[in-house]
Amino acid sequence: MKKMVKTMSAMLIGTSLLVACSGNSEKTWSEDYELSDISFPLEEEVSLKFLTESSPLAPEDPNDKLIFQRLEEETGVHIEWRNFTGAQFGERRNLAMSSGEMPDAILNAGYSDYELLNLAKDEAIIPLNDLIDNYMPNLQAVLEEAPQYRAMMTAPDGNIYAFPWIEELGEGKESIHSVDNFPWINVKWLNELGLDMPTTTDELKEVLIAFRDHDPAGDGQTIPMSFIINDGGQDPGFLFGSFGLGDNWDRTVVTNDGEVKLTAADEGYKEAIKFMNELYEEDLLDIEGFEQDWPRYVAKGQEGRYGLYFTWDKGNISGMNDDYDLMAPLAGPDGHINVTRTNGMGFDRSRMVITSANQNLELTAKWIDQLYDPTQSVQNNWGTYGDDSQQNIFEFDENAQMLKHLPLDGTAPVELRERTSIGGPLAILDSYYGTVTTKPDDAAWRLGLMEEVMVPHMQAENIYPRVFHSREELDRLSTIEADLMPFVNRKRAEWITNGKVEEEWEGYLVELDRLNFQEWLEIKQAGYDRAAE
């Protein structure tokens, strides 16, 4: 190994990063192949050692995926994987970095900004600026076409420490990421009961009552409205936009005057909670919505028990049939309509890092750069073509040199994607659609719904951008959020069920201040102002 690594911060694990000597036959990083001026495929195959995470639906050995098999053939680089799933990955990733059993690189690393900067400070991962400039023409081409991503990748100290995932699907308000929790309503039941599509919160309440009373699912199985509380796309916060600023997964919005606000401190938020409590008191809410997990949520949806539910794509819950349709945003008691934008975009800062144990930097960088080839990136993200052993998401048109999406034939898109794609660093720009690939049918359909149903009611012109805060700022934000956000989430669920939001509201605001809410706002505002310059 080229150098010893400084003691890691307590966040990772307090063990010192003293790495075993290079003569250790069990070492977890590759020997120095002394290769330079590399071009693929290599004349003689070599191997690199990577740590990664993949879906439980995917093969246990990533090399069983056709995408990796083709990459090995094209490059002459064999990857020796240590692959983990779920919470086990985070534990093993941190253990590897703190015990000295570091791999050459970590794919699908999943580090927070705070973790990235701590690892960089401890010299456990390396700056990537020179590698990108010298060895990565595919990534350079992406950054030349879309230079905003270089700024997002760059830490406050001017260094880039991780390779990103970039997926463009629409811009601004019309981005596919603008709303996570689409509300899907059972139009089959509406028609059976002679009900109109609700357009106001009062009308929604009456519709849900009709679902409850007529039990269209039969045998008492009807669930008027279901959700998973505080769970992004499955959260009922979409309804909060009828009462004010609305709500989103990170409780952060930006006004048209550029002011950062916490949704959960807005008066309209209180009114939305009161409405949710009204629904609860009428037995219109799924009581399991406060604790159920994804498999349970899906199972009940597939049984057709929901009158209204929330998720990104109905195909994953109730199927791509005509029983459910997207419900438009509702007017609140005073006629207010607002679709709250999420702060989501197709950008993940830390999809891959190179560790300081790596002795083959040019080789590793050039291998990673293959992942940014446009045709390769498309497959990394969605899946591949020509796999004789399972369903393919693409066919490859030789004449057009283009990947074309195949019909899903009833397969849930998320399942096919998790079985066959590899994630990791990639870039798919809007310019690729129609030249490198087609848009996925489900994405094109969702983008159409976004434009038609949601965009006209989005009042906010801004979202909170992907600010790369300083290590000191992140330290304070993480410390504050460790108490602030669980408190907000707990009170949100409690108030929906106990109805005490009005009487407890002033004390709640006092408690937010005690939990350093004002300092949180100041740091977030300062970050926004820097990004807006």
Side-chain angles (χ1 to χ4, degrees):
M1 188 175 172
K2 292 180 179 177
K3 59 186 173 184
M4 304 298 282
V5 183
K6 296 178 181 178
T7 302
M8 291 286 288
S9 69
M11 177 174 182
L12 288 173
I13 296 175
T15 322
S16 55
L17 277 166
L18 297 177
V19 178
C21 66
S22 59
N24 183 353
S25 61
E26 301 299 322
K27 71 185 180 194
T28 53
W29 60 94
S30 304
E31 63 180 279
D32 186 352
Y33 300 116
E34 300 182 354
L35 299 175
S36 61
D37 298 322
I38 294 165
S39 60
F40 293 136
L42 300 176
E43 294 182 3
E44 185 174 334
E45 183 176 279
V46 297
S47 64
L48 292 171
K49 298 182 179 183
F50 292 171
L51 184 74
T52 192
E53 175 185 28
S54 62
S55 167
L57 299 177
E60 185 175 347
D61 182 356
N63 284 324
D64 289 338
K65 288 186 175 182
L66 184 56
I67 291 176
F68 282 130
Q69 292 171 7
R70 285 182 175 141
L71 273 170
E72 181 168 342
E73 182 177 345
E74 292 164 2
T75 62
V77 179
H78 173 74
I79 306 300
E80 297 179 25
W81 297 101
R82 283 188 286 163
N83 179 40
F84 304 97
T85 59
Q88 186 185 31
F89 168 73
E91 295 167 0
R92 296 301 294 266
R93 177 199 66 184
N94 291 347
L95 180 61
M97 297 298 281
S98 64
S99 66
E101 297 180 355
M102 297 200 297
D104 294 311
I106 304 177
L107 180 76
N108 293 323
Y111 284 121
S112 68
D113 289 349
Y114 187 60
E115 290 172 316
L116 275 182
L117 294 181
N118 274 336
L119 289 164
K121 176 178 178 291
D122 294 326
E123 299 183 9
I125 59 175
I126 64 169
L128 307 172
N129 307 48
D130 290 345
L131 295 181
I132 293 171
D133 292 342
N134 295 328
Y135 304 126
M136 304 188 73
N138 289 324
L139 179 53
Q140 287 180 54
V142 170
L143 299 179
E144 288 170 7
E145 181 173 345
Q148 67 271 22
Y149 293 115
R150 184 179 288 272
M152 295 183 200
M153 294 161 60
T154 304
D157 65 2
N159 285 319
I160 296 170
Y161 293 110
F163 296 106
W165 168 88
I166 300 167
E167 181 195 52
E168 293 185 345
L169 274 165
E171 294 181 322
K173 291 182 178 181
E174 295 183 4
S175 167
I176 201 168
H177 306 280
S178 285
V179 182
D180 289 347
N181 49 351
F182 272 15
W184 302 101
I185 193 165
N186 196 320
V187 291
K188 178 182 177 182
W189 290 359
L190 290 177
N191 293 333
E192 288 176 357
L193 299 176
L195 301 169
D196 293 329
M197 177 73 77
T199 60
T200 70
T201 51
D202 286 343
E203 289 175 5
L204 174 62
K205 182 177 177 180
E206 294 306 311
V207 163
L208 297 178
I209 288 172
F211 289 165
R212 179 198 67 193
D213 293 346
H214 290 87
D215 187 24
D219 297 323
Q221 295 299 298
T222 298
I223 300 172
M225 188 174 109
S226 191
F227 51 86
I228 305 177
I229 198 73
N230 301 323
D231 187 52
Q234 288 61 247
D235 184 81
F238 178 86
L239 300 178
F240 287 36
S242 302
F243 299 89
L245 290 175
D247 202 15
N248 55 26
W249 63 269
D250 64 353
R251 314 283 185 246
T252 307
V253 294
V254 181
T255 71
N256 290 343
D257 295 326
E259 182 181 1
V260 179
K261 285 184 170 287
L262 180 74
T263 61
D266 181 58
E267 285 290 317
Y269 179 89
K270 177 181 69 175
E271 297 305 313
I273 294 285
K274 288 163 68 174
F275 172 70
M276 293 294 294
N277 176 251
E278 290 178 21
L279 302 184
Y280 178 83
E281 292 295 330
E282 289 282 357
D283 295 324
L284 304 177
L285 303 186
D286 187 351
I287 193 64
E288 290 187 324
F290 298 95
E291 59 183 16
Q292 65 188 338
D293 58 13
W294 172 257
R296 178 64 176 159
Y297 191 54
V298 171
K300 292 187 295 185
Q302 291 178 340
E303 293 168 0
R305 297 176 60 190
Y306 297 152
L308 175 70
Y309 71 93
F310 305 85
T311 200
W312 176 273
D313 182 344
K314 71 175 182 177
N316 295 321
I317 303 286
S318 55
M320 293 299 292
N321 53 54
D322 296 329
D323 291 352
Y324 288 82
D325 201 356
L326 181 62
M327 184 181 74
L330 305 173
D334 62 356
H336 181 80
I337 303 176
N338 177 34
V339 172
T340 308
R341 297 170 66 181
T342 73
N343 297 305
M345 60 182 300
F347 179 80
D348 180 347
R349 200 156 11 233
S350 64
R351 279 301 176 98
M352 192 164 190
V353 297
I354 297 177
T355 75
S356 55
N358 191 306
Q359 301 178 84
N360 299 278
L361 296 181
E362 179 183 341
L363 175 66
T364 305
K366 287 185 172 179
W367 187 92
I368 295 171
D369 193 52
Q370 301 308 299
L371 303 181
Y372 286 103
D373 171 83
T375 299
Q376 185 65 51
S377 281
V378 169
Q379 295 175 78
N380 297 348
N381 200 44
W382 283 302
T384 192
Y385 65 95
D387 192 331
D388 296 330
S389 64
Q390 60 182 316
Q391 183 177 355
N392 291 285
I393 202 161
F394 292 112
E395 63 179 353
F396 186 70
D397 185 328
E398 292 280 356
N399 293 328
Q401 289 293 294
M402 183 175 172
L403 291 162
K404 296 184 176 180
H405 281 83
L406 292 168
L408 291 171
D409 295 329
T411 302
V414 67
E415 293 184 9
L416 184 55
R417 189 171 182 170
E418 290 189 2
R419 286 202 305 269
T420 60
S421 67
I422 65 172
L426 59 88
I428 302 172
L429 304 183
D430 277 331
S431 62
Y432 293 5
Y433 300 114
T435 55
V436 178
T437 186
T438 55
K439 280 183 182 174
D441 288 344
D442 58 312
W445 165 74
R446 195 178 194 276
L447 283 167
L449 290 175
M450 184 75 75
E451 181 179 3
E452 177 184 352
V453 179
M454 299 297 177
V455 170
H457 302 288
M458 292 179 184
Q459 295 189 11
E461 297 299 324
N462 308 302
I463 64 171
Y464 196 83
R466 292 300 174 91
V467 176
F468 207 144
H469 289 281
S470 70
R471 187 169 173 271
E472 292 72 25
E473 288 174 328
L474 290 167
D475 184 44
R476 285 303 297 150
L477 286 173
S478 62
T479 299
I480 293 169
E481 289 174 354
D483 294 321
L484 180 67
M485 293 307 178
F487 172 70
V488 168
N489 291 345
R490 177 171 59 83
K491 296 307 294 183
R492 193 169 183 266
E494 284 181 7
W495 284 335
I496 292 173
T497 59
N498 68 22
K500 294 182 179 181
V501 64
E502 186 70 60
E503 62 189 86
E504 295 182 358
W505 184 252
E506 291 304 319
Y508 165 79
L509 295 179
V510 170
E511 182 64 8
L512 290 183
D513 284 341
R514 191 190 70 80
L515 295 174
N516 297 303
F517 159 57
Q518 295 300 328
E519 183 185 356
W520 179 89
L521 268 183
E522 290 170 4
I523 296 171
K524 298 285 278 190
Q525 186 71 57
Y528 179 82
D529 292 343
R530 288 198 303 270
E533 290 177 354

